[in-house]
Amino acid sequence: MTDVAQAHSENGPTIDIEGVTHCYKKNQPVLSEINLSLGAGFFGLLGANGAGKSTLMRIICTLLKPTEGSAKVCGFDVIKECHQVRQRIGYLPQEFGAWRLHRVEEVVDTLAALSGMNNKKERRARVAEVLEEVGLAEVADRKVKKLSGGMVRRLGVAQAMVHNPPVLVVDEPTVGLDPEERMRFRQVMTNLGRERTILCSTHIVADLGSGCSEIAIIDDGTLAFQGSPTKFLTNAVGSVFEIKVPTESATAIESKHEIVSRTFDGANVVFRVVGKSAGEFNTDASKVEEPTLEEAYLAFMAKRGKLEQADQTETVAEEPKKKKRRRKAKQD
């Protein structure tokens, strides 16, 4: 029986959060009455920047004591039994850095030793195994400074799971990665989630992908949704519409409606927009029967009156554009 299976059979959910509230300032909760139970699989924690995701992650990882409520990992309380929790959890923070002049293998081996793996032979075997799992076996002798951004993130995953924890917590893992590296990282997470509980916090909806078991949405410090991606997508049907108009009419559509995406079809522009019904548009609009996760998220936030926050959520296509704007701003 794997560690995760044993945790399930003996202690129920691998991560169990009950009534967690946290305030950095008096009477100003960052999190409010969060209840969340997760078993084995790859789980996405989604929300705009500042929604409270990282605060919740830090509580789960024993780095922050909640103002109210309780959180358990594999049946152990994150406050009263923090040492037991730390033995069973791997953590990849949003900002991960490794010793640039050290080799990949050296970094993971050192951190494995610090985690309590004292048998050198067993530790080296485990280091080789984990580097293979994250796709870094071929660059084990390469210095960290010569790794790509995606490789550094995978190195972060390797150090987080080298002691073979049943729970892996990753915070904004793909920020700054190109689409190819993002896809590779998502596949690594999906594979690892088959025998572990992986909680991935992100504001990039596309990071979750088809391998995600469940989605939880944090909005203004509250749990706004928890369920399968299929359920989330189903809830969005009837709220996303497609409109095709001549290019000269595009401005009128953009000024009146929340645009999800736009594509060009000859002399026409095809918009996907969020709305309550097809009747609210002054032109022919067809209901989108299979919305994407990004479209479903925008529709969900629109119903909550939070489209401004939803616009902070990036898609794979949007992030490179933001990089270009940042580079242009620096040049100016």
Side-chain angles (χ1 to χ4, degrees):
M1 181 181 292
T2 65
D3 289 342
V4 171
Q6 186 173 357
H8 278 282
S9 63
E10 296 178 358
N11 303 308
T14 312
I15 297 177
D16 192 20
I17 300 167
E18 294 185 0
V20 164
T21 294
H22 188 73
C23 302
Y24 287 110
K25 295 182 179 180
K26 190 175 182 180
N27 300 323
Q28 294 183 19
V30 177
L31 294 175
S32 181
E33 291 292 324
I34 300 293
N35 296 286
L36 194 62
S37 292
L38 305 177
F42 178 34
F43 297 87
L45 185 63
L46 185 63
N49 289 324
K53 304 187 302 299
S54 292
T55 297
L56 183 60
M57 303 285 257
R58 289 173 60 81
I59 289 172
I60 293 171
C61 292
T62 76
L63 300 175
L64 192 64
K65 182 178 179 179
T67 306
E68 297 179 12
S70 65
K72 293 182 178 181
V73 175
C74 297
F76 296 99
D77 187 273
V78 298
I79 301 302
K80 299 176 183 178
E81 301 167 300
C82 61
H83 294 295
Q84 290 91 328
V85 171
R86 290 171 185 172
Q87 291 173 356
R88 292 162 175 80
I89 203 166
Y91 179 46
L92 174 59
Q94 185 172 348
E95 297 294 334
F96 170 76
W99 305 290
R100 288 175 50 79
L101 298 180
H102 284 63
R103 294 182 297 110
V104 168
E105 187 178 44
E106 289 176 330
V107 171
V108 182
D109 183 71
T110 300
L111 293 173
L114 291 174
S115 73
M117 299 180 68
N118 298 318
N119 186 302
K120 188 174 181 180
K121 183 178 180 180
E122 292 179 0
R123 188 173 73 240
R124 288 180 66 86
R126 177 56 186 161
V127 169
E129 181 183 12
V130 77
L131 289 178
E132 182 69 35
E133 285 187 87
V134 300
L136 292 178
E138 294 184 358
V139 295
D141 289 330
R142 187 178 299 180
K143 289 186 177 180
V144 173
K145 68 177 183 178
K146 294 185 178 180
L147 298 181
S148 67
M151 288 179 176
V152 172
R153 297 306 286 173
R154 281 184 275 147
L155 176 59
V157 174
Q159 62 81 29
M161 56 179 281
V162 69
H163 57 300
N164 203 23
V167 180
L168 187 61
V169 177
V170 293
D171 192 2
E172 299 286 358
T174 64
V175 171
L177 301 188
D178 61 39
E180 184 178 352
E181 282 286 8
R182 178 176 285 120
M183 291 171 60
R184 186 193 299 270
F185 191 93
R186 188 167 62 231
Q187 186 59 49
V188 168
M189 291 293 98
T190 301
N191 292 339
L192 294 176
R194 292 171 184 167
E195 293 187 348
R196 293 177 174 83
T197 297
I198 298 181
L199 180 58
C200 175
S201 167
T202 182
H203 67 283
I204 303 176
V205 186
D207 277 354
L208 303 184
S210 59
C212 188
S213 305
E214 279 195 5
I215 294 172
I217 296 180
I218 301 290
D219 180 36
D220 281 346
T222 64
L223 184 64
F225 174 87
Q226 182 183 4
S228 68
T230 300
K231 179 181 178 182
F232 189 58
L233 293 171
T234 300
N235 290 346
V237 175
S239 299
V240 183
F241 300 88
E242 189 168 276
I243 300 173
K244 186 174 183 178
V245 298
T247 303
E248 57 268 21
S249 302
T251 302
I253 297 295
E254 292 174 327
S255 63
K256 295 179 181 179
H257 304 289
E258 181 62 33
I259 307 300
V260 176
S261 65
R262 58 180 62 76
T263 57
F264 294 91
D265 181 13
N268 299 314
V269 183
V270 180
F271 291 105
R272 286 205 173 190
V273 299
V274 171
K276 295 180 180 179
S277 69
E280 71 180 84
F281 306 105
N282 295 326
T283 185
D284 291 338
S286 58
K287 182 172 66 175
V288 175
E289 296 293 346
E290 296 183 358
T292 65
L293 277 175
E294 291 94 334
E295 292 165 348
Y297 180 77
L298 283 169
F300 179 85
M301 297 300 277
K303 291 177 182 178
R304 294 176 63 84
K306 300 288 183 64
L307 276 177
E308 183 176 347
Q309 286 189 18
D311 287 339
Q312 296 177 32
T313 305
E314 296 176 6
T315 66
V316 174
E318 288 170 344
E319 191 176 343
K321 295 178 182 178
K322 291 187 176 183
K323 287 183 179 179
K324 289 180 180 178
R325 288 198 292 269
R326 286 195 292 267
R327 284 198 298 267
K328 186 177 186 302
K330 289 181 179 179
Q331 291 172 356
D332 293 343

